């Protein structure tokens, strides 16, 4: 193995204020269904091309909940202990060989997707569908529910002071929404119906508003989420049947099979149905509604090249992220995100860095 040079904030004359790194850190490790334990692990060391982060905020995603309760999320299956957490940011406190020490002390938002850049998909610019990709926080690559984490330097994007730690973690969620909105290909003045008023759905609504969509309908049974959507300029409904039809695009953020099926009827001829929510492995679509009216169906797999765009939108105030945080938990209390759900929850954040 090639030797690695590591620089930490205690070995340089930079203005970073980090203290000496401890030998051990806390980590929440998922061992099996509903079996997540707070353990001690050695603080890792960055290798060539990598940086060491002191983790700030970590968002709890719906897929994290599926992994905890069901032992799987989509095609990712829990077969060995793993640290969850793929929505995160932090501060660079160590750099490996080849990384400019000037990065020390920089606050970053981290893209958790690590593609194989030699794959056909990555070479074509669609690294989000690279079949060999790795992803922080799913089985095979530990995530950010630990105090320190090593990530590729290129995945750590600097954020301005105006972007909070919570918002830095939500760049991942906004990126998913952005990919969905881009798949919907909505021109100015068009009509869209969004189903699901969780974080992804609310970010989809904000992105649609930012690009001039004329009518933004959002369907969500929970009143508090409908109120939040109304604040972003949405016409809200508690049931999809109330929303009517003739939309240019239908965007599902729930993964509910019946929603996918019925949503295809809300789309005008030549329109688009976009599936962001994962849900069950199989679902049906009404083929006459799709084929006879040439409705295009688009799946959304994560994102590609979105971090600079999203950070710029947050800095410009085009997207509201912090207001979507409904609960914050300290690191020691993180398990409550799974064991004590909130009836009005939108986004729970774990403050690992505090």
């Amino acid at each position: 193995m090639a030797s690695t040079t590591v620089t930490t904030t205690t070995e340089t004359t930079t203005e970073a204020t980090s203290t000496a790194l401890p030998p051990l850190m806390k980590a929440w490790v998922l061992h099996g269904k509903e079996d997540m334990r707070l353990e001690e692990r050695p603080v890792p060391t960055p290798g060539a091309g990598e940086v060491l982060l002191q983790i700030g905020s970590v968002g709890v995603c719906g897929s994290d909940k599926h992994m905890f309760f069901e032992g799987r999320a989509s095609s990712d299956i829990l077969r060995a202990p793993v640290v969850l957490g793929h929505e995160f940011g932090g501060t660079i406190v160590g750099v490996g060989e080849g990384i400019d020490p000037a990065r020390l002390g920089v606050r970053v938002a981290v893209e958790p997707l690590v593609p194989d850049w030699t794959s056909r998909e990555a070479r074509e610019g669609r690294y989000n569908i690279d079949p060999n990709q790795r992803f922080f926080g799913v089985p095979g690559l530990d995530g950010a529910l630990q105090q320190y984490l090593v990530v590729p330097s290129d995945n750590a994007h600097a954020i301005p002071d105006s972007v909070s730690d919570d918002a830095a973690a939500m760049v991942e969620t906004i990126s998913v929404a952005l990919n969905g909105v881009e798949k919907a290909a909505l021109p100015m003045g068009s009509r869209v119906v969004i189903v699901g008023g969780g974080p992804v759905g609310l970010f989809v609504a904000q992105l649609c508003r930012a690009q001039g969509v004329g009518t933004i309908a959002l369907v969500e049974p929970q009143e508090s989420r409908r109120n939040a959507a109304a604040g972003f300029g949405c016409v809200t409904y508690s049931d999809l049947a109330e929303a009517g039809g003739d939309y240019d695009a239908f965007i599902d953020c729930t993964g509910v099979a019946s929603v996918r099926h019925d949503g295809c009827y809300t789309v005008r001829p030549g329109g688009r149905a976009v599936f962001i929510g994962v849900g069950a492995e199989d679902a049906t679509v009404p083929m006459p509604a799709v084929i006879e009216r040439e409705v295009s169906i688009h799946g959304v797999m994560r994102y590609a090249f979105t971090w600079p765009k999203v950070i710029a939108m947050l800095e410009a105030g085009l997207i509201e992220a912090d207001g979507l945080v409904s609960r914050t938990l300290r690191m020691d209390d993180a398990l409550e995100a799974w064991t004590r759900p909130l009836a009005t929850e939108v986004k729970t954040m774990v403050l690992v860095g505090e």
Side-chain angles (χ1 to χ4, degrees):
M1 181 180 295
S3 61
T4 300
T5 301
V6 178
T7 304
T8 70
T9 53
T10 59
E11 298 170 340
T12 72
T13 58
T14 69
E15 296 180 359
T17 58
S18 300
T19 57
L21 300 179
L24 298 174
M25 65 175 180
K26 295 178 181 179
W28 280 102
V29 184
L30 182 65
H31 287 263
K33 294 180 184 179
E34 301 186 46
D35 179 14
M36 194 155 70
R37 311 170 197 171
L38 187 59
E39 301 177 357
E40 279 195 338
R41 289 185 167 188
V43 172
T45 299
E50 296 178 329
V51 295
L52 173 67
L53 298 185
Q54 183 173 11
I55 300 299
S57 294
V58 178
V60 179
C61 176
S63 62
D64 295 323
K65 295 182 179 181
H66 283 294
M67 191 65 70
F68 178 85
F69 288 108
E70 302 162 20
R72 68 179 301 155
S74 188
S75 59
D76 295 311
I77 302 172
L78 181 66
R79 294 190 173 94
V82 66
V83 177
L84 298 178
H86 59 269
E87 303 175 3
F88 66 99
T91 301
I92 296 175
V93 295
V95 298
E97 181 181 357
I99 304 302
D100 188 347
R103 297 214 75 190
L104 290 165
V106 173
R107 296 174 61 243
V108 296
V110 178
E111 179 173 1
L113 196 165
V114 184
D116 171 7
W117 288 108
T118 68
S119 72
R120 178 185 63 187
E121 293 78 13
R123 291 197 307 269
E124 292 174 348
R126 303 181 69 192
Y127 64 82
N128 58 311
I129 55 173
D130 166 23
N132 298 317
Q133 66 180 262
R134 296 182 300 150
F135 196 78
F136 284 101
V138 303
L141 190 60
D142 283 340
L145 277 178
Q146 53 189 325
Q147 291 174 303
Y148 296 89
L149 181 65
V150 166
V151 304
S153 180
D154 288 345
N155 286 56
H157 297 261
I159 57 172
D161 292 340
S162 60
V163 175
S164 69
D165 286 352
D166 288 351
M170 285 186 278
V171 172
E172 199 275 344
T173 316
I174 302 167
S175 290
V176 173
L178 178 59
N179 190 12
V181 172
E182 290 178 341
K183 291 289 192 300
L186 292 160
M188 293 182 68
S190 56
R191 289 166 45 85
V192 63
V193 59
I194 305 160
V195 183
V200 173
L202 292 175
F203 284 132
V204 166
Q206 293 188 64
L207 291 164
C208 287
R209 180 182 64 173
Q211 70 179 46
V213 173
T215 299
I216 307 170
L218 187 136
V219 179
E220 164 61 48
Q222 190 182 110
E223 183 179 7
S224 60
R225 291 182 172 185
R226 290 200 305 273
N227 291 339
F232 297 132
C234 297
V235 180
T236 63
Y237 302 95
S238 59
D239 186 88
L240 182 59
E242 301 172 359
D246 200 35
Y247 291 96
D248 296 282
F250 153 69
I251 302 178
D252 172 49
C253 304
T254 69
V256 176
S258 60
V259 169
R260 290 179 185 166
H261 179 280
D262 296 349
C264 290
Y265 287 106
T266 69
V267 181
R268 66 169 179 79
R272 297 186 175 213
V274 178
F275 298 160
I276 298 179
V278 178
E281 289 189 62
D282 296 307
T284 61
V285 295
M287 296 313 296
V290 172
I291 292 174
E292 294 172 9
R293 298 182 303 130
E294 292 196 350
V295 171
S296 300
I297 295 178
H298 298 266
V300 173
M301 178 58 174
R302 295 171 178 160
Y303 30 69
F305 306 111
T306 56
W307 255 249
K309 299 178 190 177
V310 173
I311 292 170
M313 285 188 284
L314 286 168
E315 186 175 18
L318 296 175
I319 302 174
E320 166 58 31
D322 291 318
L324 271 59
V325 177
S326 48
R327 171 172 56 171
T328 57
L329 296 170
R330 302 288 183 180
M331 177 67 167
D332 288 354
D333 302 322
L335 193 58
E336 293 183 16
W338 288 266
T339 60
R340 294 186 179 181
L342 293 179
T344 58
E345 182 175 18
V346 177
K347 173 60 70 176
T348 290
M349 304 297 294
V350 178
L351 308 182
V352 176
E354 295 188 14

